[in-house]
């Protein structure tokens, strides 16, 4: 036994003992123990394969004389075979034992024995009586009632029984006992990834009894959620909604899984982010207010923890866009009042924000922006910071609707008239929501001065990069003046470079100076990405600006991180 431990996982003997106990899987306690340990055991099998694949069969048998016992016990355990990718990993392990050129009778016997096990596991889900006896007993069927061709019928029968019980409500003579439903969910834990069992998984998720406590095993919800997130099973939206409503940890894990894909992945364009978002089903499921409030709260926490990181903000805006789209497609009978989703916001403000800028001519967009600004300002400045409708709550509501937040700077820059105070306030509030009235007024004054310089440059026949740096408030030598909101000014300059024809000639020089750090480079890439996406959605006709934005985006992404 000592030589077995050399080169194999340290818990080898632990699993050998477990397999001996599991071989007598005749009690519910043993079956429960198997189901509980299956994910860890599958990882152990992967480690075994990583060790065996580096050796030939003779060396394996010489160094690990009990490996055959372990693999044989594993192959004859139907719970293990039914779980996820166990069959595939076992096939790999057994393949390592086959000697391609057997010279001795012992090697030929080993090959024959190994092929027998391979034949068994490759055809294991013909489900003869011996292999599924444990399953069928737990499901309430006697082995004699079962034969291979009836697997599908057995599943459909259970699905029909669950649905009939669900429809018949309190008809106790036809209701499935809660204990049986609970047992059924436990038995299904290792089977959730098998296509034949998907109807049963769906029926269990959508089944609601009349007991005060949850009937299904938490491990069942965990297994289904994990399989769904890894795309090992496909579930319809109603089943996913039931899963997340009945098991809060699954909803939280699904949201965190989406965060990891969106925020920590490289080069997620808005379109790709939207694709990930819709595939997750979270925006569609969020049409149920209980799910919306949980996901909304997790976005809120992520923004607070990252101090409003652009990546998190972009993800929130895409989520909101997808959610609104899903909400519009909902059946009218299932729709909830907007107050249910946004309890702290005036309904008139929510209705104004829900209207997309693309539905309003560009020359008229300043009018709804003024109304939005006035309502937000009243909400922010007429209430205390401790109230439920304080500054952060108002900011969180506004910035989630990215279409309006991005339109403010464009309207201020392109308007020929004096910058309206309402729009200046809205822009300052967007970038500095924590400021009080006096600091925000200072920011508004500084932004107004920058806008004045930029408008003069719009009329200038020639333009140099130093002119733009001066307009932004930089001193000679690059020392910045104490302007509030560096990101705000950078975004104004980027808008100018894209909109002003003269700005196209100096765009590369200015952006090279602006995106000198990894942080500002990521910020600039995100801005260009979102601007292009917004222009696409608005159907904006500006070929030169679009071409420039795409070229700048390509060049910035091609730059090594250390050169940014």
């Amino acid at each position: 036994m000592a030589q077995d431990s050399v080169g194999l996982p340290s818990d080898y003997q632990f699993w050998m003992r477990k397999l001996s106990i599991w071989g007598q899987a005749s009690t519910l306690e043993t079956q429960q123990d198997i189901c509980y340990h299956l994910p860890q055991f599958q990882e152990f099998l992967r480690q075994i394969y990583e060790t065996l694949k580096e050796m030939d069969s003779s060396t394996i048998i010489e160094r690990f004389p009990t490996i055959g016992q372990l693999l044989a016990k594993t192959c004859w355990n139907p719970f293990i075979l039914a779980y996820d990718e166990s069959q595939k990993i076992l096939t790999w392990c057994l393949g390592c034992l086959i000697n391609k050129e057997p010279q001795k009778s012992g090697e030929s016997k080993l090959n024959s024995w190994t092929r027998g096990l391979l034949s068994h596991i490759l055809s294991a889900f013909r489900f003869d009586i011996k292999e599924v006896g444990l399953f069928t007993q737990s499901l309430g069927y006697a082995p004699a009632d079962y034969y291979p061709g009836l697997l599908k019928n057995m599943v459909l029968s259970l699905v029909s029984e669950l649905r009939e019980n669900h429809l018949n409500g309190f008809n106790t003579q036809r209701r499935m006992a809660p204990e049986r439903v609970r047992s059924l969910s436990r038995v299904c834990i290792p089977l959730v990834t098998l296509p034949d069992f998907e109807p049963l998984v769906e029926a269990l998720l959508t089944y609601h009894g009349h007991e005060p406590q949850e009937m299904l095993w938490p491990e069942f919800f965990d297994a289904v959620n994990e399989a769904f997130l890894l795309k090992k099973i496909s579930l319809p939206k109603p089943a996913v909604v039931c899963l997340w409503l009945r098991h809060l940890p699954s909803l939280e894990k699904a949201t965190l899984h989406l965060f990891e894909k969106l925020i920590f992945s490289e080069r997620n364009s808005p379109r790709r982010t939207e694709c990930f978002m819709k595939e997750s089903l979270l925006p569609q499921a969020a049409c149920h207010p209980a799910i919306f409030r949980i996901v909304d709260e997790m976005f809120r926490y992520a923004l607070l923890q990252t101090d409003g990181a652009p990546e998190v903000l972009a993800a929130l805006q895409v989520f909101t866009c997808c959610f609104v789209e899903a909400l519009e497609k909902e059946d009218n009978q299932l729709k909830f009042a907007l107050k249910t989703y946004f309890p702290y916001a005036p309904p008139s403000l929510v209705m104004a924000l829900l209207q997309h800028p693309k539905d309003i001519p560009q020359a008229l967009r300043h009018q709804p922006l003024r109304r939005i600004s006035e309502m937000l300002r009243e909400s922010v400045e007429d209430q205390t910071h401790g109230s439920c409708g304080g500054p952060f709550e108002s900011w969180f509501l506004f910035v989630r609707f990215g279409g309006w937040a991005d339109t403010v700077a464009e309207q201020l820059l392109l308007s020929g008239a004096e910058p309206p105070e309402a729009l200046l306030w809205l822009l300052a509030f967007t970038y500095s929501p924590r400021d009080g009235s006096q600091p925000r007024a200072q920011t508004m004054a500084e932004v107004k001065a920058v806008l004045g310089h930029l408008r003069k440059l719009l009329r200038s026949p020639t333009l140099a990069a130093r002119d733009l740096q001066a307009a932004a408030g930089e001193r000679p030598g690059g020392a910045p003046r104490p302007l509030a909101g560096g990101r705000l000014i950078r975004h104004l300059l980027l808008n100018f470079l894209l909109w002003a024809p003269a700005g196209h000639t100096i765009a590369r020089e200015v952006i090279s100076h602006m995106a000198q750090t990894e942080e500002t480079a990521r910020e600039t890439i995100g801005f260009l990405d979102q601007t292009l996406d917004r222009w696409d959605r608005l159907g904006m006709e500006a070929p030169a600006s679009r071409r420039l934005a795409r070229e700048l985006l390509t060049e910035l992404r091609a730059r090594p991180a250390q050169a940014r």
Side-chain angles (χ1 to χ4, degrees), residues 490 514-525 564:
R490 285 194 294 273
M514 187 185 298
Q516 289 183 345
T517 68
E518 180 69 18
E519 181 181 355
T520 55
R522 281 202 315 270
E523 178 192 314
T524 306
I525 289 172
R564 293 174 183 167

Side-chain angles (χ1 to χ4, degrees), residues 388-399:
C388 62
F392 177 79
E393 199 65 48
S394 298
W395 175 84
F396 186 61
L397 175 70
F398 176 64
V399 296

Side-chain angles (χ1 to χ4, degrees), residues 236-256:
K237 191 189 87 171
V240 177
V241 170
C242 287
L243 165 65
W244 291 338
L245 285 175
R246 297 175 71 171
H247 193 242
L248 179 59
S250 289
L251 173 58
E252 293 173 339
K253 187 172 183 179
T255 308
L256 291 173

Side-chain angles (χ1 to χ4, degrees), residues 282-313:
L282 277 168
Q284 299 91 315
C287 290
H288 193 292
I291 292 178
F292 176 85
R293 296 299 298 277
I294 294 297
V295 178
D296 187 68
E297 192 64 32
M298 293 182 72
F299 267 115
R300 188 191 315 264
Y301 182 77
L303 278 171
L304 286 169
Q305 290 299 307
T306 60
D307 199 24
E311 296 86 353
V312 182
L313 194 56

Side-chain angles (χ1 to χ4, degrees), residues 24-310:
Q24 309 298 321
S26 57
T27 66
L28 291 177
E29 289 75 13
T30 306
Q31 295 169 19
Q32 182 179 347
D33 187 58
I34 297 173
C35 294
Y36 177 78
H37 284 92
L38 280 174
Q40 300 98 303
F41 183 73
Q42 189 176 90
E43 181 57 34
F44 165 75
L45 283 180
R46 289 183 187 277
Q47 296 174 23
I48 289 288
Y49 170 67
E50 292 299 321
T51 300
L52 299 185
K53 72 178 183 179
E54 303 297 331
M55 311 176 192
D56 59 39
S57 62
S58 300
T59 305
I60 291 172
I61 298 304
E62 180 181 348
R63 291 187 59 184
F64 314 124
T66 62
I67 192 68
Q69 297 176 36
L70 181 138
L71 294 177
K73 289 178 179 179
T74 303
C75 288
W76 287 100
N77 190 307
F79 284 86
I80 296 174
L81 285 185
Y83 180 67
D84 199 31
E85 298 183 336
S86 296
Q87 285 180 304
K88 180 172 70 176
I89 303 170
L90 275 171
T91 302
W92 295 344
C93 292
L94 290 170
C96 296
L97 298 185
I98 294 180
N99 193 317
K100 297 178 181 177
E101 298 179 359
Q103 303 293 326
K104 303 175 184 177
S105 61
E107 293 173 347
S108 297
K109 289 181 180 178
L110 176 62
N111 280 0
S112 178
W113 177 82
T114 304
R115 290 193 183 99
L117 283 180
L118 282 169
S119 176
H120 165 73
I121 64 173
L122 291 175
S123 61
F125 287 98
R126 64 185 184 277
F127 280 104
D128 61 23
I129 293 174
K130 179 179 179 182
E131 290 168 336
V132 298
L134 295 173
F135 291 138
T136 54
Q137 289 172 19
S138 298
L139 295 172
Y141 289 80
D145 298 330
Y146 181 83
Y147 57 93
L150 284 182
L151 171 60
K152 186 172 290 187
N153 288 342
M154 181 181 70
V155 170
L156 291 178
S157 174
L158 286 165
V159 170
S160 177
E161 189 175 353
L162 283 167
R163 289 177 177 165
E164 184 177 332
N165 276 273
H166 180 62
L167 293 173
N168 280 282
F170 288 101
N171 187 343
T172 55
Q173 291 184 345
R174 305 180 68 181
R175 286 182 62 209
M176 185 183 287
E179 296 78 13
R180 189 170 177 224
V181 176
R182 186 169 175 80
S183 175
L184 191 59
S185 70
R186 178 175 56 193
V187 172
C188 282
I189 291 172
L191 304 171
V192 295
T193 58
L194 296 178
D196 287 337
F197 281 84
E198 280 188 11
L200 183 55
V201 171
E202 180 185 344
L204 282 168
L205 289 174
T206 55
Y207 175 78
H208 295 282
H210 300 278
E211 289 68 29
Q213 295 181 336
E214 177 59 62
M215 291 183 295
L216 306 184
W217 281 81
E219 291 80 4
F220 170 76
F221 290 123
D222 287 332
V224 174
N225 194 57
E226 183 76 12
F228 174 73
L229 296 181
L230 297 179
K231 298 184 178 179
K232 293 182 178 179
I233 59 172
S234 176
L235 292 172
K237 191 189 87 171
V240 177
V241 170
C242 287
L243 165 65
W244 291 338
L245 285 175
R246 297 175 71 171
H247 193 242
L248 179 59
S250 289
L251 173 58
E252 293 173 339
K253 187 172 183 179
T255 308
L256 291 173
H257 180 78
L258 179 64
F259 281 180
E260 289 176 2
K261 290 181 72 173
L262 296 182
I263 298 169
F264 302 114
S265 298
E266 291 291 329
R267 299 188 181 181
N268 269 344
S269 67
R271 294 289 180 174
R272 191 176 178 209
T273 298
E274 181 180 350
C275 182
F276 284 150
M277 195 73 73
K278 289 182 177 178
E279 283 181 357
S280 74
L281 286 188
L282 277 168
Q284 299 91 315
C287 290
H288 193 292
I291 292 178
F292 176 85
R293 296 299 298 277
I294 294 297
V295 178
D296 187 68
E297 192 64 32
M298 293 182 72
F299 267 115
R300 188 191 315 264
Y301 182 77
L303 278 171
L304 286 169
Q305 290 299 307
T306 60
D307 199 24

